Amino acid sequence: MLFKATNKILLLFMIVLLAMIAIVPAPLVHAESTKPVRVLLLYDSLAKGTSKSGNVEALQHILAAYSVTVTLQSFDNYKQGELQQYTKVIGIHNVADISITNQDFVRDFTQYKGSYLHIGTNVPAMVQSKLNLHTREVNVDTFRLSIDDFSQQAIQAEALTYITAYEGNSHGLISSRSGRQSPFGVSQNGIAYIPYFEKGNLSELAIGYVLRDWLGWTNESNTYVVFKEIYPFSDLERLEKLADELYEAGIPFVVSARPIFINFDYPATKRYFETLKYVQSRNGNIVVNVPEIYAILSPLERDLNKSFELFIDAMVKQGVAPLGFGAEMYWTYDQYFTNSGLGLFDTAILFQNKEIKHKAQDYTSKSFPSTLYSLQLDFLEQFEYREKALTDFPMNTAITFDFNDNGQELDEAVKWLRDSWVTFADLKYGDHTVTTKANTIRSSGGSLYINDQLIDLATAREEVSEEFEYKPKVEKSFERWFNVQNKVFIVIILVTIVAFGGFFIIGYRLYKRKYFK
Amino acid sequence: MTESVNIRVKSILISLSRYVSPAMLAAAGVLIVTIIALFVPPYIGMADNGDYSRIIYSNGLYILNPDYKTHFFGYFVKEYGIFQHFNEHAAALFSSHSYFIRLAIWLNELFYSDQLFDVRFQTIIFLALYTIAIYLFIESLTWKVPRKYGYPIALIAIFVFADTAYTAFFNSFFSESIMLIMTMLVFAAGLLMYRNRYNDYVLMTVFFISALILTTSKQQNAPVGVILAVTGVVLVFIRKERSFRIWMSSILVALFLSGIGTYVLIPKEFVNINAYHAMTRGVLMESEDPEATLKAFGIDKQYAVLNKSIYFEPFTTVDVDSKILEDHFYSKYGFGSILAYYLTNPAQAFKMLDIAAKHAFTIRPPAMGNYELSAGREFGEQTRFFSLYSNIKHALAPKTFGFVILWVILIVGLYMPSFITAVKAKHMRHIQRLPLILGMMLLGLSGIFVSIIGAGDADLSKHEFLFTLVFDLVTFVAVADAIRRYLWRSDKDAAMQ
């Protein structure tokens, strides 16, 4: 009896469960979760020429790693009603004596109910009250910053706000020589505050921890090794040797390979692709580095999408499976690049901006489901850290090296990687897709697929034939006819010369006979 | 009836000649047409192709418009800022063009503004010099020539040399304006010496200064000094006085040295794009086996992937100024090694010359617009005002190097009889005409050779300006000499001055 009743309950439970599954529109849930979060990033000044210069850009760089779509705007350009379109807003105040005069913003901000992160000076009353914040201003200070397993000594700031009391979670610690202490950042219920943020020191990394909490980012983060500055005419043998060295050390890595848009059938190109294929077989992953942009407006119109597709298809033809792209961060803030070219990829490695060459600057970024924040070793070397820390970056991070001819630098990089105990992640274990019109390249669980066909990473390398006809032979018509014609003309000319010679001799004789008798 | 028309034409010519010589007519005609083109709205000028910043910053000017880059290739910009503080842009390149810009800035500050520079102050200087050059050039061909020949020559001169394809360069910072004026002055001075018009010492000075300015206007013109020094040797003997001969010899030596100096002194800073093209759009392009060619230069064969690539492409594999190219590409070759390569591979050289000839008859570079943005024209639109000659030339000239060779042979052939007669008569002044014309033609050819060796086939229509100009000048002289019937024979001796 009891058994029957249990059975009935179980049956009923299953029916209810099935009904629930049927009612909840699963794809919609999925769509909701993949839609990128939109963040409005407001700043008072880019603080050019001061120590804070570049901090807005650094923040954009880190935000990209959390796959959020960022709209960058100055407080001055803010227009009424914009705040209401966002649920996450960041305000950076770089200059203490500039207060917000834009009344549209001031009015809208009092109504704003979403998450807000404040960085720098001029903390709004709302933030102060929600975090129950007490602060103290100090002029010119030298302090130590620590977060997670990282710390940096002797950071200098012209002015610093110490948080003396707060409510909520704290992140990191600022401690001055004179004994003052303050959290690096605090957050509670979507409201967060970071008093100090500059580009190029530990605060750039530390803000990643606060953002992870503030954005509610729960994905596991990984650390990758990336080599960039790889050209078709780089030392390919050295690249293969590097791949061997890293393979033997069990270190998976990524190479960001420069594209070519012409001469795909040249032996030189094939050798380049063969090397990349070899790299791929040695635990290397390939991403397409974006091309150089001609500094000024080029008079030539080219479709970047098409160019990328040509390059990727040529790679695929030779068994190389690129999984994403590598670019300076500003590429994601350019309408032209994001609409044309970058649309083929869902995975990005974003390097620091070096030289910005926009084609159609946009103030709203394009986000990619999988984005790696790139930092260089010399940035890390400013800090003290435990090695374990390198596996625990808050966001997906790429420790990036330049592949150049300086053998010593490269050897040092390999040595550093080999000596470190860090477990670096293998890009192809994640889900990454590159789609051209002709091919779909995909990685999953450590395997690479081209058009859903698993590719064998251990395929033997093909020897590239040196024989190549660089200049296609012009098809000759009537070749035989012209040969015959040539011969006929040669005969005619010879006969004519002989005849002229004859006439000349005859004429000369006649002349002599007439006058020299 | 025809007789009465003839009489009327004659009487008009007589009354005209009383006030206006053919040379004056040509100069005034060119002046008026050019004023209308350049100083009456819509102003005609040349859009920047990105080269301006090299010359203007070192001379104390800067770009005013923050959106200036969007004007590149599309729109002519006439106003620039004048640096008010210390100018840290040390002279990026040594060029005689700088002196004209500085003079223009001085005039601008005197009459207009000390903050805003209007490029037309430079135009005024150029136009004044150009008018003088036209006057002297036409005077050398029409002096003591019957009126019925003189005026048609003057009208043809206006038709050819007032063409806005030439004069639009005045409203720009391109050194083509200097090449135009100075080449004409050099040629005019030489011809006037041949005609024994004006004082030889004055003409010698004009010849020297204009040749010097021409040679030092840009590195590409380095051969000019050398060519003029060599072909000008006859000039030493046109007078018997020792002082003249010493002066003339020193001038020729100075020109020779200035040519070498220009090649050595003009800094390497801006040659990367050209060096890139010299290899990718030149040596490699016509090679049967680019990898073998690269090996011959000691360059890694993988660089073959750059074959035929153009740096002006919006997207390129490598930055033209990158270290990898500096260390492994540019450092492996130079002007000399490329020249040697072409000399040992004549078939390839001829193919390149044929490619060069395709652009050798274009005066107006097709890439650059002529109007200001405010004129409301389309991006890159070019003027049609007074450009019949350049359009005809562009459309009709046979664009092969064979034609260029034929042209050289034809011109030399036409002037050979008078040259032989003069040699037989040991008449130095008359002997000088053919070497002068030959020298001019060599200037043009050097323009072609230098542009191929220096930058492959990239941007040829701009690099070959010197050839297209010399082609016009020499052909014009030949036509004028045919009209005035002094093609086969030398002019009659004028009284010594």
Side-chain angles (χ1 to χ4, degrees):
Chain A
M1 195 65 186
L2 186 71
F3 181 71
K4 271 188 178 174
T6 329
N7 257 358
K8 271 186 184 168
I9 292 167
L10 258 176
L11 195 70
L12 191 71
F13 180 71
M14 280 174 74
I15 291 167
V16 171
L17 200 73
L18 276 171
M20 274 175 72
I21 291 170
I23 291 164
V24 176
L28 195 74
V29 170
H30 182 71
E32 285 285 314
S33 68
T34 53
K35 210 172 173 190
V37 175
R38 293 167 64 234
V39 174
L40 176 65
L41 173 54
L42 293 159
Y43 63 91
D44 61 342
S45 153
L46 295 174
K48 287 196 173 146
T50 73
S51 62
K52 285 181 179 153
S53 170
N55 66 355
V56 174
E57 195 179 281
L59 184 58
Q60 289 172 272
H61 193 187
I62 299 219
L63 278 168
Y66 290 108
S67 300
V68 292
T69 302
V70 178
T71 300
L72 179 69
Q73 200 174 43
S74 72
F75 282 109
D76 290 343
N77 291 338
Y78 176 84
K79 299 209 175 49
Q80 195 184 352
E82 282 178 330
L83 270 188
Q84 314 314 325
Q85 299 166 25
Y86 294 86
T87 52
K88 294 198 180 292
V89 175
I90 300 174
I92 296 194
H93 274 262
N94 279 332
V95 187
D97 41 14
I98 295 184
S99 54
I100 306 303
T101 51
N102 186 335
Q103 287 309 308
D104 286 341
F105 175 78
V106 175
R107 229 174 290 124
D108 284 357
F109 193 64
T110 56
Q111 308 290 318
Y112 178 66
K113 296 280 178 273
S115 301
Y116 179 74
L117 163 62
H118 190 85
I119 299 168
T121 58
N122 302 37
V123 190
M126 182 271 273
V127 174
Q128 290 194 2
S129 75
K130 290 248 169 112
L131 294 174
N132 203 2
L133 210 58
H134 292 270
T135 56
R136 198 178 147 201
E137 307 288 329
V138 175
N139 282 334
V140 189
D141 206 358
T142 305
F143 61 89
R144 175 179 186 274
L145 171 60
S146 60
I147 192 148
D148 205 36
D149 282 332
F150 292 98
S151 66
Q152 186 178 6
Q153 307 285 346
I155 299 175
Q156 285 201 330
E158 283 160 16
L160 192 64
T161 306
Y162 279 84
I163 301 170
T164 51
Y166 64 93
E167 268 177 27
N169 303 330
S170 74
H171 302 271
L173 184 69
I174 288 173
S175 44
S176 80
R177 280 187 188 154
S178 50
R180 276 187 289 270
Q181 286 202 330
S182 161
F184 170 75
V186 288
S187 66
Q188 177 173 250
N189 301 331
I191 305 299
Y193 173 57
I194 295 170
Y196 168 85
F197 174 51
E198 280 184 11
K199 187 188 177 184
N201 61 27
L202 186 54
S203 67
E204 184 175 339
L205 199 56
I207 207 165
Y209 290 85
V210 184
L211 284 172
R212 184 178 168 96
D213 181 25
W214 184 69
L215 290 165
W217 182 260
T218 51
N219 295 9
E220 191 194 333
S221 59
N222 289 308
T223 306
Y224 301 83
V225 175
V226 174
F227 286 87
K228 65 181 179 70
E229 302 301 314
I230 290 159
Y231 297 90
F233 32 81
S234 291
D235 186 345
L236 299 181
E237 275 175 32
R238 183 69 187 91
L239 183 58
E240 289 183 10
K241 191 174 153 226
L242 173 75
D244 285 339
E245 288 166 346
L246 293 175
Y247 181 74
E248 277 155 26
I251 300 167
F253 60 102
V254 180
V255 296
S256 190
R258 295 271 178 163
I260 26 180
F261 301 128
I262 48 169
N263 306 332
F264 292 118
D265 45 357
Y266 277 24
T269 308
K270 291 196 170 145
R271 284 193 294 266
Y272 180 43
F273 289 160
E274 276 302 318
T275 298
L276 293 180
K277 198 165 90 181
Y278 182 76
V279 165
Q280 197 173 260
S281 73
R282 309 299 267 176
N283 264 354
N285 297 280
I286 314 295
V287 296
V288 178
N289 203 96
V290 295
E292 277 298 319
I293 305 300
Y294 182 41
I296 56 169
L297 278 180
S298 171
L300 305 161
E301 279 298 320
R302 292 287 184 270
D303 184 347
L304 183 59
N305 224 30
K306 227 183 235 168
S307 306
F308 264 142
E309 285 193 336
L310 281 174
F311 177 63
I312 292 167
D313 291 342
M315 280 175 126
V316 164
K317 205 172 148 195
Q318 224 166 313
V320 181
L323 297 178
F325 72 92
E328 285 174 45
M329 189 272 289
Y330 79 89
W331 271 67
T332 59
Y333 283 84
D334 190 296
Q335 224 166 38
Y336 179 87
F337 300 145
T338 53
N339 289 340
S340 168
L342 300 191
L344 306 177
F345 307 94
D346 71 354
T347 301
I349 301 175
L350 297 182
F351 309 120
Q352 252 187 32
N353 290 348
K354 258 190 188 163
E355 193 184 356
I356 296 176
K357 293 174 184 172
H358 275 297
K359 275 185 95 71
Q361 188 173 4
D362 196 355
Y363 291 96
T364 298
S365 69
K366 178 179 168 65
S367 65
F368 295 87
S370 175
T371 309
L372 276 58
Y373 165 79
S374 153
L375 51 79
Q376 305 241 333
L377 200 54
D378 54 359
F379 173 70
L380 281 180
E381 281 175 347
Q382 304 174 77
F383 320 138
E384 294 156 18
Y385 58 89
R386 273 187 283 163
E387 279 209 333
K388 188 184 141 293
L390 299 184
T391 49
D392 287 339
F393 285 116
M395 59 275 179
N396 282 330
T397 302
I399 300 179
T400 307
F401 301 90
D402 283 350
F403 179 82
N404 55 28
D405 324 313
N406 192 332
Q408 201 191 337
E409 266 178 37
L410 216 52
D411 290 342
E412 276 168 16
V414 173
K415 187 174 180 307
W416 185 85
L417 288 168
R418 210 186 268 155
D419 293 350
S420 75
W421 288 90
V422 183
T423 314
F424 292 104
D426 193 340
L427 196 66
K428 59 180 164 289
Y429 277 86
D431 293 335
H432 308 283
T433 313
V434 175
T435 320
T436 68
K437 279 197 195 87
N439 293 296
T440 302
I441 303 121
R442 183 166 72 75
S443 76
S444 184
S447 302
L448 296 174
Y449 302 86
I450 292 175
N451 300 326
D452 288 329
Q453 293 277 311
L454 179 71
I455 58 168
D456 180 8
L457 292 178
T459 45
R461 59 186 305 153
E462 289 162 30
E463 275 310 307
V464 177
S465 162
E466 300 277 320
E467 297 295 311
F468 181 72
E469 214 166 83
Y470 286 94
K471 298 180 83 60
K473 278 196 181 120
V474 185
E475 211 174 285
K476 290 170 186 166
S477 45
F478 305 115
E479 202 180 347
R480 260 181 71 188
W481 163 245
F482 278 115
N483 267 338
V484 174
Q485 209 182 23
N486 271 347
K487 279 171 193 153
V488 171
F489 276 126
I490 289 169
V491 172
I492 292 175
I493 289 166
L494 283 177
V495 169
T496 317
I497 289 173
V498 172
F500 263 103
F503 284 134
F504 183 78
I505 293 164
I506 294 165
Y508 185 69
R509 281 194 173 170
L510 286 173
Y511 169 80
K512 264 178 98 175
R513 218 176 284 164
K514 193 170 177 184
Y515 292 102
F516 294 94
K517 267 187 181 165
Chain B
M1 182 67 188
T2 48
E3 209 163 294
S4 71
V5 171
N6 266 346
I7 291 168
R8 195 181 288 173
V9 169
K10 265 186 191 164
S11 67
I12 290 170
L13 284 178
I14 290 166
S15 55
L16 188 67
S17 65
R18 210 170 287 157
Y19 305 104
V20 187
S21 68
M24 208 174 272
L25 175 71
V30 170
L31 180 68
I32 291 165
V33 171
T34 309
I35 285 176
I36 293 170
L38 306 189
F39 291 93
V40 176
Y43 307 115
I44 291 166
M46 296 288 279
D48 187 358
N49 66 349
D51 283 354
Y52 284 9
S53 57
R54 288 205 298 251
I55 186 102
I56 66 170
Y57 276 86
S58 58
N59 286 302
L61 297 177
Y62 65 92
I63 285 154
L64 278 175
N65 187 345
D67 297 329
Y68 185 78
K69 282 187 177 177
T70 60
H71 289 51
F72 277 158
F73 294 102
Y75 297 107
F76 154 56
V77 176
K78 70 173 189 299
E79 281 179 337
Y80 296 84
I82 301 174
F83 275 123
Q84 298 299 304
H85 52 83
F86 173 71
N87 178 9
E88 76 265 30
H89 303 270
L93 53 131
F94 164 77
S95 163
S96 53
H97 192 173
S98 299
Y99 299 108
F100 291 92
I101 295 176
R102 285 185 191 168
L103 179 63
I105 295 174
W106 181 74
L107 283 177
N108 186 93
E109 286 178 339
L110 200 64
F111 294 108
Y112 180 53
S113 158
D114 56 1
Q115 292 180 1
L116 201 63
F117 177 73
D118 192 320
V119 74
R120 286 173 302 164
F121 278 94
Q122 184 200 246
T123 315
I124 292 171
I125 300 170
F126 284 151
L127 187 52
L129 287 172
Y130 191 50
T131 310
I132 295 170
I134 293 274
Y135 178 85
L136 293 177
F137 186 50
I138 304 305
E139 181 70 3
S140 75
L141 295 165
T142 58
W143 179 56
K144 285 193 175 172
V145 163
R147 289 177 293 268
K148 62 177 176 181
Y149 302 143
Y151 289 111
I153 291 173
L155 291 177
I156 297 172
I158 296 172
F159 177 65
V160 175
F161 297 109
D163 194 296
T164 53
Y166 278 128
T167 55
F169 277 111
F170 294 159
N171 259 347
S172 80
F173 289 107
F174 292 121
S175 57
E176 271 76 359
S177 347
I178 293 181
M179 285 157 72
L180 171 61
I181 296 165
M182 297 308 151
T183 312
M184 194 178 273
L185 277 174
V186 168
F187 203 9
L191 287 174
L192 287 166
M193 277 191 254
Y194 153 78
R195 296 291 312 271
N196 203 1
R197 173 89 167 114
Y198 303 126
N199 182 302
D200 281 333
Y201 288 92
V202 173
L203 291 176
M204 179 171 72
T205 314
V206 171
F207 179 85
F208 175 60
I209 292 175
S210 44
L212 191 66
I213 294 174
L214 177 62
T215 308
T216 54
S217 65
K218 57 176 172 181
Q219 197 184 26
Q220 201 191 330
N221 289 351
V224 168
V226 178
I227 291 170
L228 289 177
V230 174
T231 56
V233 169
V234 189
L235 288 173
V236 175
F237 304 101
I238 62 171
R239 284 183 88 97
K240 292 209 166 86
E241 297 98 327
R242 228 177 127 203
S243 65
F244 180 85
R245 290 187 171 188
I246 290 171
W247 271 113
M248 195 47 119
S249 310
S250 334
I251 277 172
L252 295 179
V253 170
L255 281 180
F256 192 90
L257 294 178
S258 76
I260 291 167
T262 304
Y263 179 68
V264 177
L265 282 180
I266 287 196
K268 207 180 146 276
E269 177 176 318
F270 67 93
V271 299
N272 278 355
I273 288 182
N274 290 345
Y276 183 88
H277 287 146
M279 189 52 80
T280 65
R281 300 294 307 179
V283 171
L284 293 183
M285 193 169 72
E286 287 300 327
S287 168
E288 297 287 335
D289 185 355
E291 289 190 8
T293 305
L294 285 167
K295 266 188 210 158
F297 281 93
I299 301 172
D300 189 306
K301 61 184 179 179
Q302 281 299 113
Y303 282 90
V305 296
L306 295 179
N307 186 14
K308 295 181 189 167
S309 65
I310 306 172
Y311 188 66
F312 301 116
E313 283 283 347
F315 311 111
T316 55
T317 302
V318 61
D319 180 0
V320 79
D321 294 320
S322 65
K323 199 173 170 299
I324 188 167
L325 289 186
E326 283 286 354
D327 293 350
H328 301 287
F329 199 55
Y330 304 138
S331 60
K332 310 276 181 179
Y333 61 91
F335 197 86
S337 56
I338 292 181
L339 178 65
Y341 178 82
Y342 279 126
L343 288 176
T344 48
N345 294 275
Q348 215 178 312
F350 270 105
K351 276 183 197 158
M352 286 307 295
L353 287 173
D354 248 353
I355 293 171
K358 287 196 176 73
H359 304 272
F361 300 93
T362 307
I363 306 170
R364 196 196 304 276
M368 270 91 86
N370 287 133
Y371 291 106
E372 287 180 284
L373 179 65
S374 59
R377 304 298 181 104
E378 269 184 35
F379 185 88
E381 191 175 327
Q382 299 192 323
T383 180
R384 285 198 207 119
F385 176 73
F386 216 90
S387 23
L388 185 61
Y389 173 72
S390 53
N391 286 337
I392 290 175
K393 183 178 173 187
H394 179 72
L396 298 185
K399 296 176 187 72
T400 63
F401 195 69
F403 175 70
V404 175
I405 293 174
L406 276 181
W407 171 74
V408 173
I409 293 171
L410 179 75
I411 297 287
V412 172
L414 287 174
Y415 285 98
M416 193 53 89
S418 64
F419 176 71
I420 291 170
T421 318
V423 170
K424 278 184 183 160
K426 290 188 181 154
H427 196 310
M428 284 303 174
R429 215 175 264 281
H430 289 173
I431 290 176
Q432 177 243 333
R433 182 162 70 156
L434 182 62
L436 176 71
I437 289 172
L438 192 67
M440 295 312 284
M441 291 195 293
L442 287 178
L443 287 195
L445 293 177
S446 82
I448 293 185
F449 296 141
V450 168
S451 54
I452 289 175
I453 295 167
D457 81 335
D459 219 5
L460 268 177
S461 52
K462 196 168 168 293
H463 290 155
E464 289 185 311
F465 180 81
L466 195 56
F467 175 80
T468 197
L469 169 65
V470 162
F471 178 85
D472 284 350
L473 289 172
V474 170
T475 311
F476 176 78
V477 167
V479 169
D481 280 341
I483 291 175
R484 65 194 189 91
R485 314 284 151 89
Y486 279 101
L487 198 55
W488 306 100
R489 57 201 170 104
S490 299
D491 284 75
K492 291 184 198 99
D493 254 347
M496 296 292 277
Q497 300 211 348

